[in-house]
Amino acid sequence: DTESRQAAVWALGNYRDKRTIGSLVEILKDDNKDVRFAAEMALKDKRKTAAVGPLIRHLKYFDAKVRRTAAEILGHIASKRAVAPLLRRLNDDDHDVRAAVAHALGPLRDNRVAHSLLRCLEDPSAGVRSNAALGFRYITGTRTLKTLITMLKHHAPELRESAAQALGHIGDASAVAPLVECLQDANA
């Protein structure tokens, strides 16, 4: 039954034994969404670096939900080993996978992702664009600030919101005046 299986997943998640990782990662493919969610939380909660390899392999799985979940967990674990495989998934056919990947790339704090996140700002999916903008909060530099400040005037409200959040997270003083201007813009 679902509750017993969820309890077993929770119990496995509490072990510090690396042998539990393979079982937790495989449960991400389970038909029961509640059991999958329990495994996802167990893997995220412990930031289990031993899960990085199996999760990278799951980025290629046929089911988009599994690919999306693997990307999300890799973002939580924040291992540099995941950068290249995640960058390859930015071309995924499923927009939810691309959005999860864009969200996962920022916390990896790797300079290789800046160019790819810029390209994501042109994605047809609002979720991908928004997550890419939020990813910039982890990538500092003049180019990032200029990009985010420019996005405060973008026609898409989700991008303006994400840019404002990212600028607030970065906390650079050069963004104060553009943020105040955004506040005073009735169309923003």
Side-chain angles (χ1 to χ4, degrees):
D1 70 298
T2 298
E3 290 79 16
S4 298
R5 295 180 70 221
Q6 284 177 294
V9 169
W10 177 82
L12 284 172
N14 283 328
Y15 283 89
R16 297 200 182 275
D17 189 328
K18 289 182 179 182
R19 293 175 297 173
T20 64
I21 299 295
S23 296
L24 290 171
V25 171
E26 283 305 307
I27 291 168
L28 296 175
K29 299 177 189 175
D30 198 275
D31 291 334
N32 185 308
K33 66 179 174 67
D34 295 326
V35 174
R36 281 194 317 265
F37 182 74
E40 180 181 346
M41 291 299 103
L43 288 164
K44 282 182 180 178
D45 192 41
K46 298 297 181 182
R47 296 184 186 252
K48 298 180 188 281
T49 56
V52 172
L55 288 167
I56 287 171
R57 287 189 294 280
H58 275 52
L59 290 173
K60 297 177 183 175
Y61 197 68
F62 73 91
D63 185 339
K65 290 181 284 195
V66 172
R67 295 193 309 273
R68 183 191 72 233
T69 301
E72 290 170 355
I73 297 169
L74 286 167
H76 280 274
I77 295 172
S79 169
K80 297 280 188 187
R81 286 179 34 213
V83 173
L86 284 168
L87 286 171
R88 286 191 290 276
R89 290 284 22 131
L90 283 174
N91 296 320
D92 200 284
D93 293 336
D94 187 275
H95 64 92
D96 288 332
V97 173
R98 293 193 312 276
V101 169
H103 190 265
L105 285 170
L108 298 177
R109 298 177 190 270
D110 191 296
N111 290 331
R112 294 176 287 173
V113 306
H115 180 71
S116 297
L117 288 177
L118 279 171
R119 283 185 305 139
C120 287
L121 295 175
E122 303 302 321
D123 194 277
S125 166
V128 174
R129 294 190 309 263
S130 181
N131 280 330
L134 286 172
F136 278 110
R137 68 181 177 230
Y138 299 100
I139 301 167
T140 57
T142 305
R143 183 176 179 191
T144 298
L145 287 170
K146 287 180 181 178
T147 299
L148 291 170
I149 289 169
T150 301
M151 286 172 45
L152 290 173
K153 295 180 185 273
H154 198 278
H155 68 278
E158 73 277 354
L159 278 183
R160 293 192 304 267
E161 177 185 357
S162 296
Q165 289 176 0
L167 286 166
H169 190 274
I170 293 169
D172 190 281
S174 65
V176 171
L179 285 166
V180 170
E181 186 179 319
C182 182
L183 267 179
Q184 297 168 346
D185 185 352
N187 296 320

